[in-house]
Coordinates of all heavy atoms in Angstrom, one line a residue:
M196 N 0.8 -13.8 2.7 CA -0.4 -13.3 2.2 C -0.4 -13.5 0.6 O -1.4 -13.7 0.0 CB -0.6 -11.9 2.5 CG -1.1 -11.6 3.9 SD -2.7 -12.3 4.1 CE -3.1 -11.6 5.7
L197 N 0.8 -13.4 0.1 CA 0.8 -13.5 -1.4 C 0.4 -14.9 -1.9 O -0.2 -15.0 -2.9 CB 2.3 -13.2 -1.8 CG 2.5 -13.0 -3.3 CD1 1.8 -11.8 -3.8 CD2 4.0 -12.8 -3.6
L198 N 0.7 -15.9 -1.1 CA 0.3 -17.2 -1.5 C -1.2 -17.4 -1.6 O -1.7 -18.2 -2.4 CB 0.9 -18.3 -0.6 CG 2.4 -18.4 -0.6 CD1 2.9 -19.4 0.4 CD2 2.9 -18.7 -2.0
S199 N -2.0 -16.7 -0.7 CA -3.4 -16.8 -0.7 C -4.0 -16.1 -1.9 O -5.2 -16.4 -2.2 CB -4.0 -16.3 0.6 OG -3.8 -14.9 0.7
E200 N -3.3 -15.3 -2.6 CA -3.8 -14.6 -3.7 C -3.4 -15.2 -5.1 O -3.7 -14.7 -6.1 CB -3.3 -13.1 -3.7 CG -3.8 -12.3 -2.5 CD -3.2 -10.9 -2.5 OE1 -2.4 -10.6 -3.3 OE2 -3.7 -10.2 -1.6
L201 N -2.7 -16.3 -5.0 CA -2.2 -16.9 -6.3 C -3.4 -17.5 -7.1 O -3.2 -17.8 -8.3 CB -1.2 -18.0 -6.0 CG 0.2 -17.5 -5.5 CD1 1.1 -18.6 -5.2 CD2 0.8 -16.6 -6.6
D202 N -4.5 -17.7 -6.5 CA -5.6 -18.3 -7.3 C -6.2 -17.3 -8.3 O -6.8 -17.7 -9.3 CB -6.8 -18.8 -6.4 CG -7.3 -17.7 -5.4 OD1 -6.5 -16.7 -5.2 OD2 -8.4 -17.9 -4.9
H203 N -6.0 -16.0 -8.1 CA -6.3 -15.0 -9.0 C -5.1 -14.1 -9.3 O -4.7 -13.3 -8.4 CB -7.5 -14.0 -8.5 CG -8.7 -14.8 -8.3 ND1 -9.1 -15.3 -7.1 CD2 -9.7 -15.0 -9.2 CE1 -10.3 -15.9 -7.2 NE2 -10.7 -15.7 -8.5
S204 N -4.5 -14.3 -10.4 CA -3.2 -13.6 -10.7 C -3.3 -12.1 -10.7 O -2.3 -11.4 -10.4 CB -2.6 -14.1 -12.0 OG -3.5 -13.8 -13.1
I205 N -4.5 -11.5 -10.9 CA -4.6 -10.1 -10.9 C -4.5 -9.5 -9.4 O -4.1 -8.4 -9.2 CB -6.0 -9.7 -11.5 CG1 -6.1 -8.1 -11.7 CG2 -7.1 -10.1 -10.6 CD1 -5.3 -7.7 -12.9
Y206 N -4.7 -10.4 -8.5 CA -4.7 -9.9 -7.1 C -3.2 -9.7 -6.6 O -3.0 -9.0 -5.6 CB -5.3 -10.9 -6.1 CG -6.8 -11.0 -6.2 CD1 -7.5 -12.0 -5.6 CD2 -7.6 -10.1 -6.9 CE1 -8.9 -12.1 -5.7 CE2 -8.9 -10.2 -7.0 CZ -9.6 -11.2 -6.4 OH -10.9 -11.3 -6.4
I207 N -2.2 -10.3 -7.2 CA -0.9 -10.1 -6.8 C -0.2 -8.9 -7.4 O 0.9 -8.6 -7.0 CB 0.0 -11.4 -7.0 CG1 0.1 -11.7 -8.4 CG2 -0.6 -12.5 -6.2 CD1 1.0 -12.9 -8.7
V208 N -0.8 -8.3 -8.4 CA -0.2 -7.2 -9.1 C 0.1 -6.0 -8.1 O 1.2 -5.5 -8.2 CB -1.1 -6.7 -10.2 CG1 -0.6 -5.4 -10.9 CG2 -1.2 -7.8 -11.3
D209 N -0.8 -5.7 -7.2 CA -0.5 -4.6 -6.3 C 0.6 -4.8 -5.4 O 1.4 -4.0 -5.1 CB -1.8 -4.2 -5.6 CG -2.3 -5.3 -4.6 OD1 -2.1 -6.5 -5.0 OD2 -2.8 -4.9 -3.5
D210 N 0.7 -6.1 -4.9 CA 1.8 -6.4 -4.0 C 3.1 -6.4 -4.7 O 4.1 -5.9 -4.1 CB 1.5 -7.8 -3.4 CG 0.3 -7.9 -2.5 OD1 0.0 -6.9 -1.8 OD2 -0.5 -8.9 -2.6
L211 N 3.2 -6.9 -5.9 CA 4.4 -6.8 -6.6 C 4.8 -5.4 -7.0 O 6.0 -5.0 -6.9 CB 4.3 -7.7 -7.9 CG 4.1 -9.1 -7.7 CD1 3.9 -9.8 -9.1 CD2 5.3 -9.7 -7.0
L212 N 3.9 -4.5 -7.4 CA 4.2 -3.1 -7.7 C 4.7 -2.4 -6.5 O 5.6 -1.6 -6.5 CB 3.0 -2.5 -8.4 CG 2.7 -3.0 -9.8 CD1 1.4 -2.3 -10.3 CD2 3.8 -2.7 -10.7
V213 N 4.0 -2.6 -5.3 CA 4.5 -2.0 -4.1 C 5.9 -2.4 -3.7 O 6.7 -1.7 -3.2 CB 3.4 -2.1 -3.0 CG1 4.0 -1.7 -1.7 CG2 2.2 -1.3 -3.3
A214 N 6.1 -3.7 -3.9 CA 7.5 -4.3 -3.6 C 8.5 -3.6 -4.5 O 9.6 -3.3 -4.1 CB 7.5 -5.8 -3.8
I215 N 8.2 -3.4 -5.8 CA 9.1 -2.8 -6.7 C 9.3 -1.3 -6.3 O 10.5 -0.8 -6.3 CB 8.5 -2.9 -8.1 CG1 8.6 -4.3 -8.6 CG2 9.3 -2.0 -9.1 CD1 7.9 -4.6 -9.9
L216 N 8.3 -0.6 -5.9 CA 8.4 0.7 -5.4 C 9.3 0.8 -4.1 O 10.2 1.7 -4.0 CB 7.1 1.4 -5.1 CG 6.3 1.8 -6.3 CD1 4.9 2.2 -5.8 CD2 7.0 3.0 -7.0
G217 N 9.1 -0.2 -3.2 CA 10.0 -0.3 -2.0 C 11.4 -0.5 -2.4 O 12.3 0.1 -1.8
A218 N 11.6 -1.4 -3.3 CA 13.0 -1.7 -3.8 C 13.6 -0.4 -4.4 O 14.8 -0.1 -4.2 CB 13.0 -2.8 -4.8
A219 N 12.8 0.3 -5.2 CA 13.3 1.6 -5.8 C 13.7 2.6 -4.7 O 14.7 3.3 -4.8 CB 12.2 2.2 -6.7
V220 N 12.9 2.7 -3.6 CA 13.3 3.6 -2.5 C 14.6 3.2 -1.9 O 15.4 4.0 -1.6 CB 12.1 3.6 -1.5 CG1 12.6 4.3 -0.2 CG2 10.9 4.3 -2.0
L221 N 14.8 1.8 -1.7 CA 16.0 1.4 -1.1 C 17.2 1.6 -2.0 O 18.3 2.1 -1.5 CB 15.9 -0.1 -0.8 CG 15.0 -0.5 0.4 CD1 14.9 -2.0 0.5 CD2 15.4 0.2 1.7
I222 N 17.1 1.4 -3.3 CA 18.2 1.7 -4.2 C 18.5 3.2 -4.3 O 19.6 3.6 -4.3 CB 17.8 1.1 -5.6 CG1 17.8 -0.4 -5.6 CG2 18.8 1.7 -6.7 CD1 17.2 -1.0 -6.8
L223 N 17.4 4.0 -4.3 CA 17.6 5.5 -4.3 C 18.3 5.9 -3.1 O 19.2 6.8 -3.1 CB 16.3 6.2 -4.5 CG 15.8 6.2 -5.9 CD1 14.3 6.7 -5.9 CD2 16.6 7.0 -6.9
Y224 N 17.9 5.4 -1.9 CA 18.5 5.7 -0.7 C 20.0 5.4 -0.7 O 20.8 6.1 -0.2 CB 17.8 5.1 0.5 CG 18.4 5.3 1.8 CD1 18.3 6.6 2.4 CD2 19.2 4.4 2.5 CE1 18.9 6.9 3.6 CE2 19.8 4.7 3.7 CZ 19.7 5.9 4.2 OH 20.3 6.2 5.4
A225 N 20.3 4.2 -1.1 CA 21.7 3.7 -1.1 C 22.6 4.6 -2.1 O 23.7 4.8 -1.7 CB 21.7 2.3 -1.6
T226 N 22.0 5.0 -3.2 CA 22.8 5.8 -4.1 C 22.9 7.3 -3.7 O 23.8 8.0 -4.0 CB 22.2 5.7 -5.5 OG1 20.9 6.2 -5.5 CG2 22.3 4.3 -6.1
L227 N 21.9 7.8 -3.0 CA 21.9 9.2 -2.6 C 22.2 9.5 -1.1 O 22.2 10.6 -0.7 CB 20.4 9.8 -2.8 CG 19.9 9.7 -4.3 CD1 18.5 10.1 -4.3 CD2 20.8 10.5 -5.2
K228 N 22.6 8.5 -0.4 CA 22.9 8.7 1.0 C 24.0 9.6 1.4 O 24.1 10.1 2.5 CB 23.0 7.3 1.7 CG 24.3 6.6 1.4 CD 24.3 5.3 2.2 CE 25.6 4.6 1.8 NZ 25.7 3.3 2.6
N229 N 25.0 9.8 0.5 CA 26.1 10.6 0.7 C 25.9 12.1 0.5 O 26.7 12.9 0.8 CB 27.4 10.1 -0.1 CG 27.8 8.7 0.4 OD1 27.7 8.4 1.5 ND2 28.3 8.0 -0.5
R230 N 24.8 12.4 -0.1 CA 24.4 13.8 -0.3 C 23.7 14.3 0.9 O 22.7 13.9 1.3 CB 23.5 13.9 -1.5 CG 24.1 13.5 -2.8 CD 23.2 13.7 -4.0 NE 23.8 13.2 -5.2 CZ 23.3 13.2 -6.4 NH1 22.0 13.6 -6.5 NH2 23.9 12.7 -7.4
V231 N 24.4 15.2 1.6 CA 23.9 15.7 2.9 C 23.6 17.1 3.0 O 23.3 17.7 4.0 CB 24.9 15.3 4.0 CG1 25.0 13.8 4.1 CG2 26.3 15.9 3.7
S232 N 23.6 17.8 1.9 CA 23.2 19.2 1.9 C 21.7 19.3 2.2 O 20.9 18.4 1.9 CB 23.5 20.0 0.6 OG 22.7 19.6 -0.4
L233 N 21.3 20.4 2.7 CA 19.8 20.6 3.1 C 18.9 20.4 1.8 O 17.9 19.8 1.9 CB 19.6 21.9 3.8 CG 18.2 22.1 4.3 CD1 17.8 21.0 5.3 CD2 18.2 23.5 5.0
A234 N 19.4 21.0 0.7 CA 18.6 21.0 -0.5 C 18.5 19.5 -1.0 O 17.4 19.1 -1.4 CB 19.2 21.9 -1.6
D235 N 19.6 18.8 -0.9 CA 19.6 17.4 -1.4 C 18.7 16.6 -0.5 O 17.9 15.7 -1.0 CB 21.0 16.8 -1.4 CG 21.8 17.3 -2.5 OD1 21.2 17.7 -3.6 OD2 23.0 17.3 -2.4
L236 N 18.7 16.8 0.8 CA 17.9 16.0 1.8 C 16.4 16.3 1.6 O 15.5 15.4 1.6 CB 18.3 16.3 3.2 CG 19.7 15.8 3.6 CD1 20.0 16.2 5.0 CD2 19.7 14.3 3.5
Q237 N 16.1 17.5 1.3 CA 14.7 17.9 1.0 C 14.2 17.2 -0.3 O 13.1 16.8 -0.3 CB 14.5 19.4 0.9 CG 14.6 20.1 2.3 CD 14.6 21.6 2.2 OE1 14.9 22.2 1.1 NE2 14.3 22.3 3.3
R238 N 15.0 17.2 -1.3 CA 14.6 16.6 -2.6 C 14.4 15.1 -2.4 O 13.5 14.5 -2.9 CB 15.7 16.8 -3.7 CG 15.5 18.0 -4.4 CD 16.4 18.1 -5.6 NE 17.2 19.4 -5.4 CZ 18.5 19.4 -5.2 NH1 19.2 18.4 -5.3 NH2 19.1 20.6 -5.0
Q239 N 15.3 14.4 -1.6 CA 15.2 13.0 -1.3 C 13.9 12.7 -0.6 O 13.2 11.8 -0.9 CB 16.4 12.5 -0.5 CG 17.7 12.5 -1.3 CD 18.9 12.1 -0.3 OE1 18.7 11.5 0.7 NE2 20.1 12.6 -0.7
T240 N 13.7 13.5 0.4 CA 12.5 13.3 1.2 C 11.2 13.5 0.4 O 10.3 12.7 0.5 CB 12.4 14.3 2.4 OG1 13.6 14.1 3.2 CG2 11.2 14.1 3.3
N241 N 11.2 14.5 -0.5 CA 10.0 14.7 -1.4 C 9.9 13.5 -2.4 O 8.8 13.1 -2.7 CB 10.2 16.0 -2.1 CG 10.0 17.2 -1.2 OD1 9.3 17.1 -0.1 ND2 10.5 18.3 -1.5
L242 N 11.0 13.0 -2.9 CA 11.0 11.9 -3.8 C 10.4 10.6 -3.1 O 9.6 10.0 -3.7 CB 12.4 11.6 -4.4 CG 12.5 10.5 -5.3 CD1 11.6 10.6 -6.5 CD2 14.0 10.3 -5.7
F243 N 10.9 10.4 -1.9 CA 10.5 9.2 -1.2 C 9.0 9.3 -0.8 O 8.2 8.4 -0.9 CB 11.3 9.0 0.1 CG 12.7 8.7 -0.2 CD1 13.7 9.0 0.8 CD2 13.1 8.1 -1.4 CE1 15.0 8.7 0.5 CE2 14.5 7.8 -1.6 CZ 15.4 8.1 -0.7
C244 N 8.6 10.5 -0.5 CA 7.2 10.8 -0.2 C 6.3 10.6 -1.4 O 5.2 10.0 -1.3 CB 7.0 12.2 0.4 SG 5.4 12.6 0.8
A245 N 6.8 11.0 -2.6 CA 6.0 10.9 -3.8 C 5.8 9.4 -4.1 O 4.7 8.9 -4.5 CB 6.7 11.6 -4.9
L246 N 6.9 8.6 -3.9 CA 6.8 7.2 -4.2 C 5.8 6.5 -3.2 O 5.1 5.6 -3.5 CB 8.2 6.5 -4.1 CG 9.1 6.9 -5.3 CD1 10.5 6.3 -5.0 CD2 8.6 6.4 -6.6
L247 N 5.8 6.9 -1.9 CA 4.9 6.4 -0.9 C 3.5 6.8 -1.3 O 2.5 6.0 -1.1 CB 5.2 6.9 0.5 CG 6.3 6.2 1.2 CD1 6.7 6.9 2.4 CD2 5.9 4.8 1.5
I248 N 3.2 8.0 -1.8 CA 1.9 8.3 -2.2 C 1.4 7.5 -3.4 O 0.2 7.0 -3.4 CB 1.8 9.8 -2.5 CG1 2.0 10.7 -1.3 CG2 0.5 10.2 -3.3 CD1 2.1 12.1 -1.5
V249 N 2.3 7.2 -4.3 CA 1.9 6.3 -5.4 C 1.6 4.9 -4.9 O 0.6 4.3 -5.3 CB 3.1 6.2 -6.4 CG1 2.9 5.1 -7.5 CG2 3.3 7.6 -7.1
A250 N 2.4 4.4 -3.9 CA 2.1 3.1 -3.3 C 0.8 3.1 -2.6 O 0.0 2.1 -2.7 CB 3.3 2.7 -2.4
Y251 N 0.5 4.2 -1.9 CA -0.8 4.3 -1.2 C -1.9 4.3 -2.2 O -3.0 3.6 -2.0 CB -0.8 5.5 -0.3 CG -2.1 5.6 0.4 CD1 -2.4 4.8 1.6 CD2 -3.1 6.5 0.0 CE1 -3.6 4.9 2.2 CE2 -4.3 6.6 0.6 CZ -4.6 5.8 1.7 OH -5.8 5.9 2.4
A252 N -1.8 5.1 -3.2 CA -2.9 5.1 -4.2 C -3.1 3.8 -4.9 O -4.2 3.4 -5.1 CB -2.6 6.2 -5.2
L253 N -2.0 3.1 -5.2 CA -2.1 1.8 -5.8 C -2.8 0.8 -4.8 O -3.8 0.1 -5.3 CB -0.7 1.3 -6.1 CG -0.6 -0.1 -6.7 CD1 -1.2 0.0 -8.1 CD2 0.8 -0.5 -6.8
K254 N -2.5 0.8 -3.6 CA -3.1 -0.1 -2.6 C -4.6 0.3 -2.4 O -5.5 -0.6 -2.3 CB -2.4 0.0 -1.3 CG -1.1 -0.8 -1.2 CD -1.3 -2.2 -1.7 CE -0.9 -3.2 -0.6 NZ -1.0 -4.5 -1.0
F255 N -4.9 1.6 -2.4 CA -6.3 2.0 -2.3 C -7.1 1.6 -3.5 O -8.2 1.1 -3.3 CB -6.3 3.5 -2.1 CG -7.7 4.0 -1.8 CD1 -8.3 3.8 -0.6 CD2 -8.4 4.7 -2.8 CE1 -9.6 4.3 -0.3 CE2 -9.7 5.2 -2.5 CZ -10.3 5.0 -1.2
V256 N -6.6 1.8 -4.7 CA -7.4 1.4 -5.9 C -7.5 -0.1 -5.9 O -8.6 -0.6 -6.2 CB -6.7 1.9 -7.1 CG1 -7.2 1.3 -8.4 CG2 -6.8 3.4 -7.2
W257 N -6.5 -0.8 -5.6 CA -6.5 -2.3 -5.6 C -7.5 -2.9 -4.6 O -8.0 -4.0 -4.7 CB -5.2 -2.9 -5.5 CG -5.0 -3.9 -6.6 CD1 -5.0 -5.3 -6.5 CD2 -4.7 -3.7 -8.0 NE1 -4.8 -5.9 -7.7 CE2 -4.6 -4.9 -8.6 CE3 -4.6 -2.5 -8.7 CZ2 -4.4 -5.0 -10.0 CZ3 -4.3 -2.6 -10.1 CH2 -4.2 -3.9 -10.7
L258 N -7.8 -2.1 -3.5 CA -8.7 -2.6 -2.5 C -10.1 -2.8 -3.2 O -10.8 -3.8 -2.9 CB -8.8 -1.5 -1.4 CG -9.8 -1.8 -0.3 CD1 -9.3 -3.1 0.5 CD2 -9.9 -0.7 0.6
F259 N -10.5 -2.0 -4.1 CA -11.7 -2.2 -4.8 C -11.7 -3.3 -5.8 O -12.7 -3.9 -6.1 CB -12.1 -0.9 -5.5 CG -12.4 0.2 -4.6 CD1 -11.5 1.3 -4.4 CD2 -13.6 0.2 -3.8 CE1 -11.8 2.3 -3.5 CE2 -13.9 1.2 -2.9 CZ -12.9 2.3 -2.7
V260 N -10.5 -3.7 -6.3 CA -10.4 -4.8 -7.2 C -10.6 -6.1 -6.4 O -11.2 -7.1 -6.8 CB -9.0 -4.8 -7.9 CG1 -8.8 -6.1 -8.7 CG2 -8.9 -3.6 -8.8
E261 N -10.0 -6.1 -5.1 CA -10.0 -7.3 -4.3 C -11.1 -7.4 -3.3 O -11.1 -8.3 -2.5 CB -8.6 -7.4 -3.6 CG -7.4 -7.5 -4.5 CD -6.1 -7.5 -3.7 OE1 -6.1 -7.2 -2.5 OE2 -5.1 -7.8 -4.3
I262 N -12.0 -6.4 -3.2 CA -12.9 -6.3 -2.1 C -13.9 -7.5 -2.0 O -14.3 -7.8 -0.9 CB -13.7 -5.0 -2.3 CG1 -14.4 -4.7 -1.0 CG2 -14.8 -5.2 -3.3 CD1 -13.4 -4.1 0.0
K263 N -14.1 -8.3 -3.1 CA -15.0 -9.4 -3.0 C -14.4 -10.7 -2.4 O -15.0 -11.6 -2.1 CB -15.6 -9.7 -4.4 CG -16.5 -8.6 -4.9 CD -17.0 -9.0 -6.3 CE -17.8 -7.8 -6.7 NZ -18.3 -7.9 -8.1
D264 N -13.0 -10.6 -2.3 CA -12.3 -11.8 -1.7 C -11.6 -11.4 -0.4 O -10.6 -10.7 -0.5 CB -11.3 -12.3 -2.7 CG -10.6 -13.5 -2.3 OD1 -10.9 -14.0 -1.2 OD2 -9.8 -14.1 -3.1
P265 N -12.2 -11.8 0.7 CA -11.6 -11.3 2.0 C -10.2 -11.7 2.2 O -9.4 -11.0 2.9 CB -12.6 -11.9 3.1 CG -13.6 -12.6 2.3 CD -13.4 -12.6 0.9
D266 N -9.8 -12.9 1.7 CA -8.4 -13.3 1.9 C -7.5 -12.4 1.1 O -6.4 -12.1 1.5 CB -8.2 -14.7 1.4 CG -8.8 -15.8 2.3 OD1 -9.0 -15.4 3.5 OD2 -9.2 -16.9 1.8
A267 N -7.9 -11.9 0.0 CA -7.1 -11.1 -0.9 C -7.0 -9.6 -0.4 O -6.0 -9.0 -0.4 CB -7.5 -11.1 -2.3
S268 N -8.1 -9.1 0.1 CA -8.1 -7.7 0.5 C -7.7 -7.5 2.0 O -7.5 -6.4 2.4 CB -9.6 -7.2 0.4 OG -10.5 -7.8 1.2
G269 N -7.5 -8.6 2.7 CA -7.1 -8.4 4.1 C -5.8 -7.8 4.3 O -5.6 -7.1 5.3
D270 N -4.8 -8.1 3.5 CA -3.5 -7.5 3.6 C -3.4 -6.0 3.2 O -2.5 -5.3 3.6 CB -2.4 -8.3 2.8 CG -2.6 -8.2 1.4 OD1 -3.7 -8.0 0.9 OD2 -1.6 -8.4 0.6
D271 N -4.4 -5.6 2.4 CA -4.4 -4.2 2.0 C -4.6 -3.2 3.1 O -4.0 -2.1 3.1 CB -5.4 -4.0 0.8 CG -5.0 -4.7 -0.4 OD1 -3.8 -4.9 -0.6 OD2 -5.9 -5.1 -1.2
M272 N -5.5 -3.6 4.0 CA -5.7 -2.7 5.2 C -4.5 -2.4 6.0 O -4.2 -1.2 6.3 CB -6.8 -3.2 6.0 CG -8.2 -3.3 5.4 SD -8.7 -1.7 4.9 CE -10.3 -2.0 4.3
S273 N -3.8 -3.4 6.3 CA -2.5 -3.2 7.1 C -1.5 -2.4 6.3 O -0.8 -1.6 6.9 CB -2.0 -4.5 7.6 OG -1.7 -5.4 6.5
S274 N -1.4 -2.7 5.0 CA -0.4 -2.0 4.2 C -0.8 -0.5 4.1 O 0.0 0.4 4.2 CB -0.4 -2.6 2.8 OG 0.0 -3.9 2.8
M275 N -2.1 -0.2 3.9 CA -2.6 1.2 3.8 C -2.4 1.9 5.1 O -2.0 3.1 5.1 CB -4.0 1.2 3.4 CG -4.2 0.8 1.9 SD -5.9 0.6 1.3 CE -6.8 1.9 2.1
F276 N -2.6 1.2 6.2 CA -2.4 1.9 7.5 C -0.9 2.2 7.7 O -0.6 3.3 8.1 CB -2.8 0.9 8.7 CG -2.5 1.5 10.0 CD1 -3.3 2.5 10.6 CD2 -1.5 1.0 10.8 CE1 -3.1 3.0 11.8 CE2 -1.2 1.5 12.0 CZ -2.0 2.5 12.5
F277 N 0.0 1.3 7.4 CA 1.4 1.6 7.4 C 1.8 2.7 6.6 O 2.6 3.6 7.0 CB 2.2 0.3 7.1 CG 3.7 0.5 7.0 CD1 4.4 0.7 8.2 CD2 4.4 0.6 5.8 CE1 5.8 0.9 8.2 CE2 5.7 0.8 5.8 CZ 6.4 0.9 7.0
L278 N 1.3 2.8 5.3 CA 1.7 3.9 4.4 C 1.2 5.2 4.9 O 1.8 6.2 4.8 CB 1.1 3.6 3.0 CG 1.8 2.4 2.3 CD1 1.1 2.0 1.0 CD2 3.3 2.7 2.0
V279 N 0.0 5.2 5.5 CA -0.6 6.5 6.1 C 0.3 7.0 7.2 O 0.6 8.2 7.4 CB -2.0 6.3 6.5 CG1 -2.5 7.4 7.4 CG2 -2.9 6.1 5.3
V280 N 0.7 6.1 8.1 CA 1.6 6.5 9.2 C 2.9 7.0 8.7 O 3.4 8.0 9.2 CB 1.8 5.2 10.2 CG1 2.9 5.5 11.2 CG2 0.5 4.9 10.8
V281 N 3.5 6.4 7.7 CA 4.8 6.9 7.2 C 4.6 8.3 6.5 O 5.3 9.2 6.7 CB 5.4 5.9 6.2 CG1 6.6 6.5 5.5 CG2 5.7 4.7 6.9
L282 N 3.5 8.5 5.8 CA 3.2 9.8 5.2 C 2.9 10.8 6.3 O 3.3 12.0 6.2 CB 2.0 9.7 4.2 CG 2.3 8.9 2.9 CD1 1.0 8.7 2.1 CD2 3.3 9.7 2.1
A283 N 2.2 10.4 7.3 CA 1.9 11.4 8.4 C 3.2 11.8 9.1 O 3.3 13.0 9.5 CB 0.9 10.7 9.5
N284 N 4.1 10.9 9.2 CA 5.4 11.2 9.8 C 6.1 12.3 8.9 O 6.8 13.1 9.4 CB 6.3 10.0 9.9 CG 7.6 10.2 10.5 OD1 7.7 10.9 11.5 ND2 8.7 9.8 9.8
R285 N 5.9 12.2 7.6 CA 6.5 13.2 6.7 C 5.9 14.6 6.9 O 6.6 15.6 6.9 CB 6.4 12.8 5.3 CG 6.7 13.8 4.2 CD 8.1 14.2 4.2 NE 8.4 15.1 3.1 CZ 8.5 16.4 3.3 NH1 8.3 17.0 4.4 NH2 8.7 17.2 2.2
F286 N 4.7 14.7 7.1 CA 4.0 16.0 7.1 C 3.6 16.6 8.4 O 3.4 17.7 8.6 CB 2.7 15.9 6.3 CG 3.0 15.7 4.8 CD1 2.7 14.5 4.2 CD2 3.5 16.7 4.0 CE1 2.9 14.3 2.9 CE2 3.8 16.5 2.7 CZ 3.5 15.3 2.1
L287 N 3.7 15.7 9.5 CA 3.3 16.2 10.8 C 4.5 16.5 11.7 O 5.6 16.1 11.6 CB 2.4 15.3 11.5 CG 1.1 15.0 10.8 CD1 0.2 14.0 11.5 CD2 0.3 16.3 10.7

C-alpha cells in the first residue's frame, strides 16, 4: 500500500509515523519485559494503550487528508479497525 501513495509524499507520513510508534512499542516491550510486578505491568499496559490511541488518532485525522484518493485512504480503514480491536481488548 505504501507504494501506491508515493505519488503524494504527504500520504505516507501517517504510515511512517504509525510504523515508528509500532517500533517504539516493540522496543519498550523488549526493555520492560522483565518487570513483572503488578504495578509495572499496569504501567506498561497503560503506556502501550496510550501509544495505540495516538496511532488511532493519527490514522483517523489522516483519513481526512487522504479521503479524495481511494488508493491512499483504502489502507486506513483496515488499520483503524485493527487499532480499535486492540484498544477494545484493553478495555473490555
Side-chain angles (χ1 to χ4, degrees):
M196 286 293 191
L197 192 62
L198 294 177
S199 67
E200 296 179 351
L201 287 177
D202 56 341
H203 295 94
S204 59
I205 193 76
Y206 289 170
I207 62 173
V208 171
D209 65 324
D210 297 320
L211 293 175
L212 290 175
V213 170
I215 290 168
L216 284 172
V220 167
L221 291 175
I222 291 168
L223 285 170
Y224 177 75
T226 58
L227 300 175
K228 70 179 179 180
N229 293 329
R230 297 183 182 177
V231 293
S232 72
L233 186 57
D235 286 335
L236 292 175
Q237 287 174 339
R238 271 189 242 116
Q239 289 174 27
T240 303
N241 290 336
L242 177 62
F243 297 152
C244 182
L246 290 173
L247 278 171
I248 290 171
V249 169
Y251 179 76
L253 180 68
K254 286 305 242 181
F255 185 74
V256 167
W257 229 258
L258 181 64
F259 294 104
V260 172
E261 298 176 348
I262 199 75
K263 293 180 183 175
D264 187 356
D266 289 335
S268 62
D270 67 334
D271 291 334
M272 293 300 185
S273 59
S274 299
M275 288 174 38
F276 177 75
F277 176 73
L278 291 170
V279 166
V280 169
V281 172
L282 287 172
N284 181 49
R285 166 65 177 100
F286 293 109
L287 299 178

